[in-house]
Amino acid sequence: MEGNVKSVTDETFAEKVLNSGKSVLVDLWAEWFGLCSLIAPVSEALAAEH
């Protein structure tokens, strides 16, 4: 993902999510699952707002 949404990997999950010190919204998605693409604009809007 790009823009305000940050990508997280297995290696960075603890640092960026578990130890962030603030609320984090995690969106688990799959490129092959069409409905996941519908959530992307909502995730971007939330990231820009918060």
Side-chain angles (χ1 to χ4, degrees), residues 12-24:
T12 63
F13 187 82
E15 173 192 350
K16 291 186 175 183
V17 176
L18 300 178
N19 299 325
S20 72
K22 52 188 166 184
S23 297
V24 177

Side-chain angles (χ1 to χ4, degrees), residues 9-50:
T9 64
D10 289 344
E11 292 79 22
T12 63
F13 187 82
E15 173 192 350
K16 291 186 175 183
V17 176
L18 300 178
N19 299 325
S20 72
K22 52 188 166 184
S23 297
V24 177
L25 172 65
V26 177
D27 175 21
L28 305 174
W29 63 279
E31 191 172 310
W32 53 265
F33 189 62
L35 293 177
C36 288
S37 64
L38 297 175
I39 299 296
V42 175
S43 298
E44 283 291 344
L46 287 171
E49 187 175 325
H50 299 282

